[in-house]
Amino acid sequence: MVNDVETCPHVKLQSSFLESYHKICAQIYARNNLRRCCRVCRKSNKRTLHCLECEFTGCLWDEHFEQHVKESNHLFGADLKNSHLYCYSCKDYVYHPRLEMLRIKVQNIRNWQNKHKRLPDRYEQTISLNPYEKYPSICSTAGLRGIQNLGATCFMSVILQSTLHNPLLRNLFLSGFHTSENCKRSSCMTCAIDNMFASIYASKEKTSFYGPTVILNLMWKLSKSLSGYSQQDGHEFLVYLLDQMHSESGGDNSFPCNCPIHKIFSGSMKNVITCCECKTKKVATDPLMEVSLDLHESSIQGCLERYISPEQIQYTCSNCNAKVATKQLFFDKLPPTLCLQLKRFEQNSFAMSTKVDKLITYPMLLKMQYNFNQDSVDYQLYAIVCHKGTLDTGHYIAYTLFQDHWYLLDDTTITVVPESEVMKTQAYLLFYHEKNLVYDDEHVERK
Amino acid sequence: MSVQPSSLAAISCTIFEDLLRDYTHELTQKIHRMSKLALQKCERCNTYCRQHCTKPGFDIYANNVQTPSSIPYYQCLSCRREIAASRYAAHMEKCKGRSLSSATSYASLLEGDSANDDE
């Protein structure tokens, strides 16, 4: 480790200091006509600082603020361009964890306010730092832990990792949507998953990793096809897990289903069959939980285009009795989380499976068209599941995006990897997440 | 102390210099913040967790990569024996009395399952 640096010891977190900092940050992020000129020279391009203890503003570069420090013994100035704090004792910008928390909160609230033209509900509660004084701050590595392989269970570990880093699922579980205290069900998979989230996100020790013994036991008990000691298909486990959690959170067989799992993963497709002769259209709506792509193209975009391109089929038209029609799929409603499965495991005519190792390129940002290709939405890649080796003696690994860095999760070993490596893997499952999540304004919904 | 520029060219140069300096400042401030936070001790875990170890043979937390001798043991939920992790699934298959059906709730499943904790 390089020479360490102490957090600025001159910061005293009194309420007057916090209030003052809060006020300055709010002014900066409101983007109003904030006067950024120095009291002494009237210039605004020499990096003006606003004093934390009085109303003085002065240049950083032309030393006018330094004069103020000598005269008044006020040590701190907030940069009026980006609200970072400058300490004249340390003679440098300082980043105190709690002040950073406050600064980012103010920035987020202001962004929300600029969009919705009012303050969020419970604004005072949101802006307060009091809860954080009771609890210690969150470690930046919270949530990034390995998962123990229990003997050919890496197919399960990689799916669990992709679940841990799905932003919506993570927020859902960490907000306590399903805890074992409140659940009276015996053998509940959702409780086991909640326990996993709690364990991993609360873990302070860097040497710790999660042993999914309970999840393994439950899976064998509840699923006939996945039980037994052997390597299974990762995607099959994902389908099973989502379905199990859907049943356990009150989901039913209706379409669309309103359970949280379906709200996150489920969308719909429009299946349009057009008769070649009389052009009569028959439109059906099919549910969509993931997109399984054939590997005939060399890029994901190509595979997706093929997926939604028209094809000729044998079909008897109910109108004119013609035997040929074109079928075309359109993305109708796209879910916040989109899972793309590359069909690497093929079953040939002898019911033997082979693996296709072809390299398919995929983008970090994916634009998907929906609503009969009239609208589009941007997706961001956040997790990849790869399968290495042959069908029977293979190994699963996962890549995940965590706090703006990509990590390789290989059982219990976590390493940081450059983006270039992440974009060239032999991906089997690609997890994309909507880049911008738009929540309905709660005030609008109430009517 | 800088001399007041008098020509148009000189004034333009000063303005440009200031702009450039400002942009460079914004850019480097991002990196400065990241680096400084990486060098500070985390309040929660008391380590330098914003720094990643990149030595081969270690993971980002400078843990040794798991070897056969360092494999953990987990308690079997049926027979309550301690089993090595790499043989856990194989053991589960053979262990008779996979008595999950007798558990009345998730909480009772965890009783006596202390090997599952990771602290």
Side-chain angles (χ1 to χ4, degrees), chain A residues 186-187 214 217-218 221, chain B residues 77-78 97-104 109:
Chain A
S186 66
S187 314
V214 178
N217 269 281
L218 279 175
K221 185 193 176 197
Chain B
L77 294 176
S78 314
R98 262 187 275 152
S99 55
L100 269 191
S101 43
S102 62
T104 48
L109 245 184

Side-chain angles (χ1 to χ4, degrees), chain A residues 7-14 17-18 75-76 85-87 89-90 94-99:
Chain A
T7 312
C8 171
H10 312 108
V11 172
K12 303 277 179 286
L13 286 182
Q14 296 148 334
F17 191 86
L18 288 170
L75 280 180
F76 295 97
L85 211 58
Y86 192 95
C87 170
S89 204
C90 301
V94 295
Y95 311 99
H96 192 281
R98 280 183 208 275
L99 291 175

Side-chain angles (χ1 to χ4, degrees), chain A residues 4 47 81 95 100 407, chain B residues 22 26 32-33 48 52:
Chain A
D4 58 39
R47 216 76 213 184
K81 268 237 174 113
Y95 311 99
E100 281 293 284
Y407 296 88
Chain B
D22 208 48
E26 284 293 328
H32 180 255
R33 178 178 178 270
Y48 298 97
H52 294 315

Side-chain angles (χ1 to χ4, degrees), chain A residues 333-367:
Chain A
K333 185 178 153 305
L334 288 171
T337 300
L338 191 64
C339 172
L340 302 182
Q341 180 196 20
L342 275 65
K343 286 157 84 165
R344 290 195 181 281
F345 301 108
E346 295 185 327
Q347 272 210 320
N348 62 20
S349 42
F350 298 101
M352 283 179 55
S353 294
T354 55
K355 187 182 169 203
V356 180
D357 271 325
K358 185 173 172 187
L359 188 71
I360 311 274
T361 63
Y362 44 88
M364 190 67 85
L365 283 179
L366 179 67
K367 195 184 264 293

Side-chain angles (χ1 to χ4, degrees), chain A residues 388 397-400 406-410 413-417 421:
Chain A
K388 291 173 129 61
I397 55 170
Y399 291 86
T400 188
W406 279 92
Y407 296 88
L408 166 58
L409 303 153
D410 185 352
T413 308
I414 306 175
T415 45
V416 64
V417 290
E421 185 184 314

Side-chain angles (χ1 to χ4, degrees), chain A residues 151-296:
Chain A
T153 62
C154 51
F155 74 95
M156 201 176 73
S157 305
V158 287
I159 298 297
L160 292 176
Q161 290 284 13
S162 74
T163 306
L164 282 165
H165 296 106
N166 177 312
L168 286 176
L169 273 181
R170 175 201 64 204
N171 292 356
L172 194 64
F173 277 100
L174 290 180
S175 68
F177 114 96
H178 187 118
T179 58
S180 44
E181 287 92 40
N182 298 329
C183 176
K184 294 292 167 280
R185 192 198 297 265
S186 66
S187 314
C188 178
M189 182 60 92
T190 316
C191 280
I193 300 289
D194 177 65
N195 178 268
M196 175 183 76
F197 268 95
S199 237
I200 290 186
Y201 276 88
S203 158
K204 257 200 307 185
E205 294 303 319
K206 301 293 186 304
T207 51
S208 75
F209 42 82
Y210 186 73
T213 49
V214 178
I215 296 178
L216 184 68
N217 269 281
L218 279 175
M219 181 183 78
W220 283 20
K221 185 193 176 197
L222 299 170
S223 164
K224 287 241 168 344
S225 58
L226 286 169
S227 63
Y229 170 51
S230 64
Q231 182 78 278
Q232 308 277 2
D233 177 31
H235 181 249
E236 209 183 308
F237 175 66
L238 175 67
V239 170
Y240 157 74
L241 182 66
L242 294 179
D243 186 61
Q244 186 69 29
M245 291 202 288
H246 143 85
S247 316
E248 288 166 358
S249 9
D252 50 30
N253 282 330
S254 67
F255 171 64
C257 167
N258 254 333
C259 76
I261 305 300
H262 275 92
K263 276 197 190 162
I264 296 174
F265 287 92
S266 163
S268 58
M269 306 233 22
K270 286 270 194 276
N271 188 339
V272 181
I273 301 179
T274 315
C275 173
C276 286
E277 294 289 329
C278 63
K279 306 293 176 210
T280 319
K281 285 194 200 290
K282 191 161 129 173
V283 182
T285 309
D286 298 329
L288 173 78
M289 280 292 266
E290 71 278 309
V291 183
S292 295
L293 296 169
D294 289 309
L295 306 180
H296 297 306

